[in-house]
Amino acid sequence: MKQAVSPAWAFRDTKPMARKQQKPLKAKIKPDHPFSDIINDAYRVFAYSKPPSIEVCEGCCMEADFEADFFAPPIAELPLHYLQDWFFAAYDPKGIAKATWGYLLPRILEVLAVDEDLASVGLEVSLNRFETGNPDNWSTNEWQVLDRFQRAYLKREIGRDNCYLDDTICMFGLAGWSQEVLFEQVAATPDPILVQRFWHDWCAHCIPGRESVWITAFWESPGNTKAFEFYTSKALYDRVARFALDENTPQNLSEKALAIASVIENNADWNISG
């Protein structure tokens, strides 16, 4: 089972040596990528001026040459390892300025879109240095881009099996998106896809008899409670149980749905006999 990772500052003395920028530039989206239009719009809409400060620990946390050169390239050409080093650096727990975050945001979204890592500690903290998911913080055009990205990204992750879905939901939740809206999007997923998703996260990699609901350790209260309530809800249990017992459901999916229903039943507050 996936383990929570210690905060970045715990590994300061193990940070790799500085490396020269690699060519071609890493983590760039291709024209035929499904997110290409969204990312192109992000660069167009978030055309912020270069900020005066990197807003992370200076002269300590970042490699000196990365720090000195951080704002030299155009934002679309910001090297991936510069950005990863920036995410590695300590910053004010209250967050950073909108001007800095807005400037970096199109490159950050692009890196996420092409499946590269930003923060070494986990996907969950990729968007939380500013309240990205609050529409009041953005213009109408800016929010349209962010909303499109969030919905497309979550939909993509629901249909994959190389990650844990709750990690993605947590990333958006920590960044200020409404958990209710996020879980509405999850609930709108067709039954076969949703069953496959939860079976992967809760059952596939567990010792038989120890299957459990996956909740990432990065949630902050009450987010973790809300997530657990959704995953163990009577509505979700009834849905997967109906799907499992439907005569039109393929046997392999029926078995997975029954396994998910069992996990929910064993963890749910509404199951007084559990």
Side-chain angles (χ1 to χ4, degrees):
M1 178 173 290
K2 181 181 171 185
Q3 299 294 322
V5 184
S6 299
W9 51 258
F11 300 96
R12 293 286 178 231
D13 60 344
T14 64
K15 189 153 62 80
M17 297 293 292
R19 294 179 295 173
K20 293 182 179 180
Q21 179 178 343
Q22 298 181 10
K23 298 290 186 177
L25 192 64
K26 287 186 175 182
K28 292 301 297 179
I29 204 158
K30 295 181 179 179
D32 60 349
H33 192 283
F35 284 48
S36 179
D37 288 346
I38 298 176
I39 299 305
N40 288 337
D41 286 345
Y43 278 110
R44 176 179 56 82
V45 171
F46 290 94
Y48 285 37
S49 300
K50 291 185 179 181
S53 169
I54 59 174
E55 290 204 65
V56 295
C57 176
E58 297 186 32
C60 175
C61 292
M62 289 186 68
E63 297 290 351
D65 51 347
F66 295 0
E67 181 180 324
D69 195 46
F70 193 74
F71 289 131
I75 183 58
E77 298 175 13
L78 182 66
L80 176 61
H81 56 284
Y82 280 26
L83 192 56
Q84 289 172 328
D85 207 50
W86 183 84
F87 267 92
F88 189 87
Y91 69 102
D92 189 330
K94 296 179 182 179
I96 65 173
K98 176 183 177 180
T100 303
W101 190 245
Y103 171 78
L104 294 172
L105 200 48
R107 185 68 175 115
I108 290 170
L109 298 182
E110 182 177 31
V111 172
L112 289 171
V114 298
D115 286 324
E116 289 284 357
D117 294 328
L118 286 164
S120 60
V121 296
L123 173 72
E124 296 91 327
V125 299
S126 298
L127 292 173
N128 72 336
R129 295 194 176 189
F130 182 80
E131 197 179 18
T132 314
N134 183 350
D136 293 337
N137 290 333
W138 309 105
S139 70
T140 299
N141 289 338
E142 290 170 342
W143 178 248
Q144 286 177 346
V145 170
L146 291 171
D147 186 57
R148 285 167 57 206
F149 177 85
Q150 180 274 301
R151 291 175 183 276
Y153 191 94
L154 180 55
K155 183 177 181 180
R156 181 182 74 175
E157 298 309 295
I158 292 172
R160 304 169 103 185
D161 60 2
N162 61 343
C163 58
Y164 287 81
L165 179 60
D166 192 62
D167 298 3
T168 297
I169 298 172
C170 181
M171 175 181 72
F172 290 119
L174 291 181
W177 267 273
S178 162
Q179 277 187 265
E180 289 75 14
V181 172
L182 296 172
F183 286 123
E184 285 174 3
Q185 294 170 41
V186 175
T189 305
D191 289 340
I193 298 174
L194 198 63
V195 163
Q196 185 65 41
R197 171 77 269 174
F198 285 138
W199 183 83
H200 168 274
D201 290 4
W202 301 355
C203 304
H205 306 293
C206 296
I207 297 172
R210 296 187 181 179
E211 297 84 356
S212 62
V213 174
W214 167 255
I215 298 282
T216 177
F218 284 92
W219 275 115
E220 298 172 356
S221 182
N224 51 355
T225 300
K226 291 181 178 179
F228 192 76
E229 287 174 350
F230 173 80
Y231 297 135
T232 60
S233 65
K234 187 65 163 56
L236 184 59
Y237 172 83
D238 290 343
R239 178 179 174 181
V240 296
R242 282 195 303 270
F243 181 72
L245 299 176
D246 191 318
E247 61 181 13
N248 296 315
T249 300
Q251 182 177 352
N252 67 319
L253 286 178
S254 177
E255 292 173 353
K256 290 178 179 179
L258 287 173
I260 295 167
S262 179
V263 173
I264 296 174
E265 190 174 27
N266 290 336
N267 288 272
D269 290 339
W270 49 263
N271 180 26
I272 59 176
S273 63

